[in-house]
Amino acid sequence: MDWARDAAAKRQFEGFAAAASDALLRTGYLMTGDGRDAEDLVQETFLRVARRWNRVRTMDHPAAYARRILINLVLQNAERRSRQKEELALPDAGSDAADQGAARALRHVDDLAEFRWALAQLTPRQRAVLVLRYWADLPVGEVADILGCSPGAVTGTASRAAGRLAEILTSRERPATTPSTRQIMDGES
Amino acid sequence: MPTAEVENELRRTLARTAAGFESLDQARQRLLQRDYHPGRGTRRLAAGITAGTAGLGLVLGLGLSGVFGSASRQPSHPAHAQLADWTVVKQADGTVLVRIHEFRDPAGLQRRLRADGVPASVVFFPGTLRPGEPLTDLVHFKGNPCQEYSGGESQAPKVVTGGSPFTVGMFLHPSAVPAGAGVQFVATSNVGYQQGPQHIGLVEWLVQAAAQCTGS
């Protein structure tokens, strides 16, 4: 698309970017725990959306498409780095006792920086499940669609992620300095 | 599946954390200044930002916030200008994003803002701003159907946030409009005597809600 010849498309994209930037930045912030990383993620997301704008502009929900790109950027980067298998297919290991502990630990979160750090200790897929399901408030099926897994895997992962968060928050195992996540966009084209 | 209690705590804590993104406005402004034209990579857009910042400084002293932006053409007469191409986007949280590409059809913009829950008046300044006259004088034109809302100085920055509507967009927060108040936007196209020939000045201030002003 040549924006120099299609000023309307350019303006439409700018309107989309202005409207979508807030939610995308907050999503990136929750996924990375860092404002500058979130900005990098959203910039890369906008670049990718712009390259496909002729198609994206006709979608019912371009912002949802952009959110999917952003989440996948985080997941792809993590996969490149670790090549570790995620645990999405494992059965739900949650229990009433673990749930009670998770609720108690979350209820007593006073230091949001500590919560961000705890969130960053989860696997990227666990973070994505929590952010999409409980912050973006997406239905389980839509989260599963974005992450390419079954709805059961989403609910199981949500339970395990909540339990792990509670463990981390309770054990107060936070190091003296927050680990950097600044290289998250390394290798992106 | 986590219990409902855990889910509620997760929602609450994630919302608090997301709301704690302190530099979000700056990050958003930087992002929206970049050029995402395919094949070019990103670069900063130059239009209007400096002038916009200067505009804010000019009017904050009176508790108003104002912005400048680049208009694509100069109307022959401010009161009869044939401008605008604007976008108004109501977001899920009730915030209304306004971007103005050309300032045209103020009545249409006014109708759209009111429909989106903003008790608004949008008008062109019917006169000519004289050199040295502060931008804030825009709101004091003869026949203005709106009157200043008492105490609006401290409330206005909560009602309108973000950057210039001519560049990165401004955000209107209907829920922050005090009871009995509305917001009036007054625009003029002849601030170019200071900034060059192609600038529009826009001032917003809180006014008393009234049928002849904000429609209700």
Side-chain angles (χ1 to χ4, degrees), chain A residues 92-171:
Chain A
D92 187 354
S95 68
D96 288 349
D99 279 338
Q100 286 169 13
R104 194 165 44 245
L106 288 165
R107 202 178 305 124
H108 291 112
V109 169
D110 294 323
D111 182 355
L112 292 179
E114 185 174 11
F115 179 75
R116 274 192 291 134
W117 175 80
L119 202 58
Q121 305 315 299
L122 302 180
T123 67
R125 278 186 182 269
Q126 286 177 330
R127 272 202 305 279
V129 166
L130 295 186
V131 170
L132 293 172
R133 181 78 184 95
Y134 300 115
W135 184 71
D137 226 15
L138 298 184
V140 169
E142 198 168 335
V143 177
D145 183 46
I146 291 172
L147 298 179
C149 63
S150 69
V154 170
T155 55
T157 300
S159 275
R160 282 189 296 281
R164 177 68 184 134
L165 263 183
E167 278 176 27
I168 296 166
L169 291 168
T170 305
S171 66

Side-chain angles (χ1 to χ4, degrees), chain B residues 20-213:
Chain B
F21 188 168
E22 291 175 352
S23 57
L24 183 135
D25 279 345
Q26 296 94 310
R28 180 168 48 207
Q29 293 212 12
R30 283 192 296 271
L31 279 168
L32 298 180
Q33 288 168 37
R34 289 169 193 152
D35 186 353
Y36 298 97
H37 189 293
R40 280 189 196 163
T42 59
R43 63 181 173 81
R44 292 192 178 278
L45 299 175
I49 285 292
T50 305
T53 306
L56 280 168
L58 270 175
V59 295
L60 282 176
L62 285 180
L64 306 167
S65 62
V67 290
F68 289 107
S70 295
S72 59
R73 53 187 152 149
Q74 177 85 349
S76 57
H77 188 287
H80 300 95
Q82 293 298 305
L83 302 173
D85 182 358
W86 36 260
T87 53
V88 175
V89 180
K90 187 166 189 178
Q91 303 182 95
D93 64 356
T95 302
V96 178
L97 170 69
V98 180
R99 290 206 67 216
I100 298 172
H101 311 297
E102 293 180 63
F103 199 83
R104 204 161 31 184
D105 187 19
L109 178 57
Q110 176 178 285
R111 277 195 302 275
R112 176 60 197 267
L113 291 176
R114 289 179 182 178
D116 281 340
V118 182
S121 163
V122 184
V123 295
F124 267 124
F125 180 61
T128 300
L129 204 62
R130 290 186 292 275
E133 214 171 359
L135 193 62
T136 48
D137 280 2
L138 285 181
V139 302
H140 299 303
F141 63 88
K142 187 176 180 182
N144 187 347
C146 299
Q147 294 187 326
E148 183 176 8
Y149 176 77
S150 177
E153 294 177 18
S154 60
Q155 300 294 321
K158 299 172 187 168
V159 175
V160 184
T161 62
S164 161
F166 301 101
T167 53
V168 296
M170 65 180 174
F171 292 88
L172 308 183
H173 305 270
S175 61
V177 178
V183 58
Q184 184 181 44
F185 300 90
V186 184
T188 186
S189 60
N190 79 313
V191 294
Y193 67 84
Q194 287 177 326
Q195 305 287 341
Q198 303 237 322
H199 283 76
I200 281 180
L202 181 72
V203 169
E204 67 263 10
W205 68 327
L206 289 191
V207 294
Q208 295 175 24
Q212 73 275 14
C213 172

